[in-house]
Amino acid sequence: MIVKPGELTGNIRREADVAIIGSGAGGGPIAKELAEAGYSVVVLEEGGYFTREDFDFRPGQAFMRLYRDAGQTATVGLPVIIVPQGKTVGGTTTVNSGTCLRVPRHVLKRWHLECGLRDLEEDELNLLYAALEEYLFVKRADPEVVGENNLLFLRTAEKLGYSGGFLPRNAKDCEGYGVCAYGCPSGAKQSVDVSFIPDAVRAGADVYTRCRVERIVVRGGKVTGVRGHFLDPRSGRRTFRMGVDAPVVVLAGGAFQTPSLLLHNRICLSSGRVGENLSIHPCGATMALMDEPLGNPRGIPQSAYVDDFAPEGIMLEGVTLPPAIMAMTLPWGGRRHAEAMCMYSRIGTFGSMISEHDSSGRVVAGPSARQPLAFYNMGRGDVERLKRSVLLMAEVWFAAGARRVYTPLEGFKELAGARDLGRLARTRLRRAGIYGLSAYHPMGTCAMGGDPHNSVVRSSGETWEVENLFICDASVLPTSLGVNPQLTIMALAVRAAGFIDDRLSEGSIDTRNASRLDRLRNRLRREKESTIVQ
Amino acid sequence: MRAYFARRLRLLAPIFIEPVEGLPPADPEGVVEFNREFLRAGTPAFRLLYYAMILVLQALCLATRGKSLYSLPPDEADRFIQSLYSHRVSALGAVPAVLGTVIYMSHYNRDDLQALLGFDVAAMREEAAQRGVQR
Ligand SMILES: Cc1cc2nc3c(=O)[nH]c(=O)nc-3n(C[C@H](O)[C@H](O)[C@H](O)COP(=O)(O)OP(=O)(O)OC[C@H]3O[C@@H](n4cnc5c(N)ncnc54)[C@H](O)[C@@H]3O)c2cc1C
Ligand code: SF4
């Protein structure tokens, strides 16, 4: 059952086997796995519940309904970076682009060697990835619907000798409406709100919406439940109280909210790592004025990639912008802005994502648990990488016939050709001179690791300090991932569900249990067979 | 939103959204209404910053042009806004940029405008409603 605030008549206090805070990429899969395993599961989600009928192609409305703080969340530091996050059933997956990538091998190796996570075995992860890809209908974006913008960029990049292709995405029968970030209006995108959560509910889970957890109850070193409040959808004010008594609690509020909740509850703090180690994958974007219309924004926004520079920490990924978003992004106002918007259909867009090497960030408790503060400063090397990504995109756009390329770099807002590229290449950028940057993958603030002194959770997802309190969201990723993270978050969540099952049924967890892989294989096989029978 | 800021936004809307042939002009009431909702849904920090920018913009105009922004002829107001956007000091460019983000989002969020730019939202909404993908 999905419970909306209008259906409530008073305070709620109940019991469950598992209480899950958050219904996004981490919370949704755990809810499904455990509900289907026969446990009573309660999911508490701060955001509202919306369906495809509510998604109306208007970015402005989507920001206000589906995003935390209307998408205005930003980091404090140089440069200022907007970090939008979902707040709705399905979490950020409801508004994400649907790209599904596995953890790169070199990153997993780093987790093994530097983070003490050797028991995150590649074989096991691959099994989980494969099962998730099948469940979510993951396949490469269909060239028929990727749209002219992405096609042109990719084809030109390939002509220049750069490697790339179409991204794997969790969409079924996608028609390329181009508005994934504002809620998929056809239900093609297999975000958590249309996949894991409905399946969890079918298996008996209850999802309470507009319900914010404020307190995690711990007694004698063990978690025993959560407390919170329902929120009035219009004013955001607290209404009824909510309490769940449960032997297992899963914290899956995302990389900003999860550490904030721990900091406000003053739990799991002895390693000093809660909130530390924030990475976000800063994103640059370029816009290019072309001679011919590109049919924007129709087409899958994030459908093509260029990965030639991935070893340097630079991924180029497609993006298209509906008029309202392009209008916000253009670097001018007044008449110049209006004239540029008249050429909207001729403006191409492409984005870049930087995997951090020397930037640093942290989330600290803000004035309220709801509003944590995120500090983030880009390092010199990462600023250079961002510049290089802009140069590469501009090079491709000019080769594709662009008349002008617009960038987020002060002094280089408008590039006219090779001379400007040369000038930019020689310039050492000031961090304060980079504007309008955004980032979509906050992670790492409750890092998983093999040592309780420098990590917050074990490889099972259970916190080192509080028994039966698991963290399953982007915050556990121990380093910058280098690729879009949702599939890895889901894989770790499903893996953690197995450990929670162990704990609830047998009372113990052994992450090195040799038979675990076989059990996982059997479980996935059984699930597959039961889906085929249905 | 205080009446004072609503009044200022009503005046700012046509300065930021210059009329161009083929596109509808600014709808100041619509801009104010959208801003009201958007700021209410957002962070207190952004709200404060936004209101501060309205005041700073006016102060900058008084300081550099000797006149209120709202009393400048449209061409001069446009030049003033442009000069800030392209100012060497990026903090000055941020003043209209912050205000512009919400003003432009509200204006170009309109169905009629999006359709004129080739993104026929109403038609796609209908198409999507009929498609309804099932798992
Ligand atoms: C525009 C955009 C596009 C993206 N595109 C991609 C992509 O294509 N591929 C990809 O892999 N990743 C993408 N991402 C990132 C990806 O969606 C996130 O990394 C992922 O969803 C994070 O999962 P999570 O479980 O950590 O948090 P979320 O999915 O954000 O879920 C957390 C949920 O917890 C709720 N919550 C938080 N605190 C509380 C509380 N105290 N009480 C109750 N509920 C609470 C929140 O409201 C939220 O719904 C994108 C992100 C954005 C913003
Ligand atoms: S491109 Fe359109 S149909 Fe495809 S997933 Fe995105 S919003 Fe849905």
Side-chain angles (χ1 to χ4, degrees), chain A residues 374-418:
Chain A
F375 292 94
Y376 186 87
N377 281 303
M378 261 180 103
R380 264 274 119 236
D382 290 336
V383 168
E384 273 305 302
R385 259 181 285 282
L386 181 81
K387 182 180 92 175
R388 180 151 157 68
S389 78
V390 169
L391 280 166
L392 290 165
M393 288 188 281
E395 181 199 359
V396 175
W397 279 125
F398 283 125
R403 289 180 171 272
R404 291 279 187 278
V405 174
Y406 311 123
T407 85
L409 310 178
E410 194 59 51
F412 298 92
K413 286 184 183 173
E414 184 168 356
L415 306 175

Side-chain angles (χ1 to χ4, degrees), chain A residues 61 172 190 333 335 413, chain B residues 18 82 85 109 134-135:
Chain A
Q61 272 67 22
K172 186 180 178 230
Q190 297 300 300
R335 186 158 312 145
K413 286 184 183 173
Chain B
E18 276 266 325
Q82 295 304 343
Y85 264 103
N109 208 32
Q134 299 297 324
R135 262 182 74 79

Side-chain angles (χ1 to χ4, degrees), chain B residues 55-91:
Chain B
L55 300 175
V56 173
L57 189 70
Q58 167 73 332
L60 284 171
C61 190
L62 285 169
T64 57
R65 310 273 150 139
K67 275 188 193 165
S68 158
L69 173 61
Y70 313 107
S71 66
L72 290 181
D75 274 354
E76 206 178 328
D78 186 52
R79 276 197 296 278
F80 169 67
I81 295 284
Q82 295 304 343
S83 69
L84 289 184
Y85 264 103
S86 51
H87 206 282
R88 270 184 305 119
V89 180
S90 46

